[in-house]
Amino acid sequence: MLIKFDFNNMMSRTLGDKGFADSALVGFAADAAEAFRSFGKKRGTGMTAWAELPYNQAEVVRDIKATAEEARKKFESFVVLGIGGSALGPIAVFTALCHFRYNDLPAEKRGGPRFYVEDNVDPERMLALLDVVDPKTTLFNVVTKSGATSETMSQYLIIADILKKALGDEWKEHIVATTSETKGNLIKIAKKEGFKTFYIPDGVGGRFSELCPVGLLPAAMLGIDIEGLLRGAAEMDKACSSEDMFKNPALMAAALQFLAMQNGKNISVMMPYADSLKFMADWYCQLWGESLGKAVDLDGKTVNVGQTPVKALGVTDQHSQVQLYTEGPFDKVITIIGVEKFRGDVVIAGGAEEFPDVSFLSGHTMGELINTERRATEYALTKSGHMNNTLILPEVNAETVGQLLMFFQLETAYCGEMLNIDTFNQPGVEEGKNATYALFERKGYEAKRAELEAAPAPEAKYII
């Protein structure tokens, strides 16, 4: 049950002069192969340890499953305190593989704790969480590799204070830490307090962390088959083991996006036609945008590269964004995700036979309808000359979700090699973090504070 990548609608045979000729792909094949080899030399080193996660976590998986089995019996709610990849990955997998109304189900149907991810520091959000969970029956998973992430650690301090007041010495049993084994503040706190702790491998950054304990623990708490996720990732990795882009779907996808960028396509739209995959687009937006949006290349040359990721949902956004995609600028590549077989289906009833414009739907299923609308959108985009490609999942399960995660990670890594950038750093993010520390007068950031204070002050005439 392997995902299929259909790029017919990127080619000149369907798009005419708006598409790529076969000769353009053949001409780029050597460059794609070099990108594959270049990533292969780095694989498993530096910040590319994520590529080996499907193969080297047997002991960690056993620990996670044992911990989750006990915690699922004991706790009524499970809350992730994290931001960025620490939140987007768990949300995407939860939405993909759990019941759509999971938290609304009675406990006996749910089979596990209610699930929440607190990925922002809006005070109203924290107050709302505390209105619906009882700290005495809740397990909190604090996720930050550095232990210095202001958003996550502020949440930790708030929750720890509440737990201490509610539970006394037992408060420590309500926190699990997921962090670096050797560096940062959270591991020091975890050791001091005796928290159960899982480790984020040194070579795994936040946006590539869903297949390590960052994502595997929440998934296990929800009863998701985490071994299936890793098995699926390994299947996709194997399917992408050739340097020939005509035999490597992720390498082909990267090559097409790179060539599209070279031709002015600076927006990448991710549009799943399945509500279960809605938040996979959110996860993709971080992965693609944070990895490829870079000011300088590996040679130190200012390049300001990257492709702006945009999320959409089919069929919902056929009634909002697709008008732009079919008749607007030729500055986008639209990636559609389809599902061949849904996990359940609903037959559309009769009852309006006197109205042919309605009754034609009767007897068909909602699964037929959403997939028909997906194909219609592909046709409309192609007819108007707008590049689009489609990923098809046979069905949504742990293995195909693992495949999808690995596909996008490999595509991102290959595309970064083609762009000659550091795919795994995030200097733009760090600038914002450092400015926050300076504004709070954190020790060691005095120079940054002075820099901020020297910046031009807002002028009243520009505020109306």
Side-chain angles (χ1 to χ4, degrees):
M1 296 182 68
L2 199 65
I3 292 172
K4 293 178 289 189
F5 177 53
D6 182 347
F7 57 97
N8 271 281
N9 297 337
M10 301 288 287
M11 306 302 294
S12 59
R13 67 175 296 273
T14 56
L15 291 177
D17 61 5
K18 295 290 197 301
F20 296 123
D22 286 359
S23 59
L25 295 190
V26 172
F28 190 69
D31 297 283
E34 177 56 33
F36 176 88
R37 292 191 294 269
S38 179
F39 173 68
K41 292 174 185 176
K42 301 173 184 177
R43 181 175 171 135
T45 66
M47 292 305 295
T48 67
W50 55 269
E52 300 304 317
L53 292 175
Y55 310 106
N56 61 10
Q57 296 189 97
E59 184 177 343
V60 174
V61 165
R62 283 193 293 270
D63 190 5
I64 287 172
K65 290 176 68 176
T67 299
E69 184 178 0
E70 290 302 311
R72 281 164 57 84
K73 299 173 186 175
K74 183 177 179 181
F75 296 101
E76 295 178 7
S77 299
F78 180 75
V79 178
V80 172
L81 304 178
I83 198 165
S86 303
L88 292 170
I91 291 170
V93 170
F94 164 63
T95 308
L97 297 175
C98 290
H99 191 285
F100 279 105
R101 313 295 180 193
Y102 178 86
N103 280 353
D104 297 328
L105 292 172
E108 60 272 17
K109 287 189 176 181
R110 199 171 59 241
R114 291 176 296 164
F115 181 63
Y116 303 93
V117 179
E118 295 304 293
D119 65 342
N120 209 344
V121 289
D122 185 325
E124 294 183 22
R125 184 185 183 113
M126 177 59 74
L127 292 170
L129 174 71
L130 297 173
D131 280 339
V132 297
V133 301
D134 179 357
K136 295 179 181 179
T137 59
T138 301
L139 180 63
F140 295 89
N141 182 202
V142 187
V143 187
T144 164
K145 190 174 183 179
S146 68
T149 308
S150 299
E151 299 87 354
T152 304
M153 294 312 291
S154 68
Q155 294 171 334
Y156 162 76
L157 292 170
I158 292 164
I159 294 300
D161 182 61
I162 291 170
L163 290 172
K164 290 173 186 176
K165 291 173 180 175
L167 294 162
D169 291 340
E170 295 180 6
W171 76 277
K172 301 171 186 180
E173 298 174 15
H174 289 249
I175 291 186
V176 175
T178 304
T179 189
S180 168
E181 185 175 7
T182 58
K183 297 176 285 189
N185 298 314
L186 184 54
I187 186 59
K188 296 173 185 175
I189 295 171
K191 288 179 177 179
K192 174 188 172 186
E193 304 295 355
F195 299 151
K196 174 65 181 177
T197 306
F198 290 99
Y199 302 123
I200 304 171
D202 286 343
V204 176
R207 57 190 179 273
F208 290 88
S209 67
E210 177 55 22
L211 294 173
C212 81
V214 169
L216 297 181
L217 176 61
M221 286 294 298
L222 293 161
I224 290 169
D225 177 11
I226 61 175
E227 290 167 316
L229 284 170
L230 293 170
R231 189 164 54 249
E235 290 166 355
M236 181 54 67
D237 190 45
K238 182 179 179 181
C240 298
S241 60
S242 174
E243 68 176 36
D244 181 351
M245 69 183 189
F246 291 94
K247 298 178 181 178
N248 181 334
L251 186 60
M252 176 60 79
L256 289 166
Q257 292 284 19
F258 174 80
L259 291 171
M261 286 185 234
Q262 304 303 105
N263 283 275
K265 308 294 190 293
N266 61 354
I267 298 172
S268 172
V269 178
M270 183 58 58
M271 192 172 187
Y273 270 73
D275 277 34
S276 61
L277 301 175
K278 176 180 180 179
F279 288 98
M280 197 62 69
D282 291 62
W283 173 81
Y284 167 83
C285 283
Q286 184 200 9
L287 179 72
W288 197 249
E290 203 167 75
S291 297
L292 302 185
K294 300 294 161 65
V296 298
D297 66 12
L298 294 174
D299 300 320
K301 180 182 176 182
T302 299
V303 288
N304 295 111
V305 296
Q307 197 180 38
T308 301
V310 174
K311 58 186 179 180
L313 178 66
V315 169
T316 299
D317 285 314
Q318 284 179 212
H319 297 268
S320 59
Q321 299 180 39
V322 166
Q323 171 62 35
L324 172 66
Y325 301 163
T326 56
E327 295 195 358
F330 293 90
D331 58 355
K332 304 171 190 67
V333 176
I334 296 93
T335 297
I336 291 170
I337 306 178
V339 177
E340 287 181 342
K341 181 182 178 183
F342 289 85
R343 291 167 288 193
D345 212 340
V346 179
V347 177
I348 302 168
E353 287 76 11
E354 66 272 36
F355 302 106
D357 291 347
V358 176
S359 63
F360 79 95
L361 294 166
S362 299
H364 295 285
T365 69
M366 296 185 78
E368 285 182 81
L369 179 58
I370 195 169
N371 275 330
T372 298
E373 295 209 44
R374 170 177 60 80
R375 290 192 293 271
T377 297
E378 293 167 1
Y379 173 76
L381 290 167
T382 304
K383 182 180 178 181
S384 64
H386 289 80
M387 285 187 168
N388 63 97
N389 56 78
T390 302
L391 285 161
I392 298 290
L393 279 64
E395 63 181 52
V396 178
N397 58 38
E399 287 194 25
T400 58
V401 168
Q403 290 174 25
L404 195 61
L405 293 168
M406 184 57 86
F407 177 92
F408 286 135
Q409 290 178 149
L410 289 171
E411 179 190 16
T412 302
Y414 296 148
C415 199
E417 294 298 326
M418 295 170 190
L419 290 166
N420 191 37
I421 58 169
D422 185 339
T423 312
F424 308 104
N425 68 355
Q426 50 187 50
V429 176
E430 297 304 321
E431 179 66 20
K433 286 183 179 180
N434 293 339
T436 299
Y437 299 152
L439 290 168
F440 271 103
E441 299 185 355
R442 178 177 165 183
K443 186 177 179 181
Y445 290 83
E446 293 81 7
K448 179 61 66 176
R449 183 171 179 83
E451 177 186 321
L452 287 163
E453 290 174 345
E459 290 193 27
K461 69 179 181 179
Y462 297 129
I463 304 173
I464 60 174

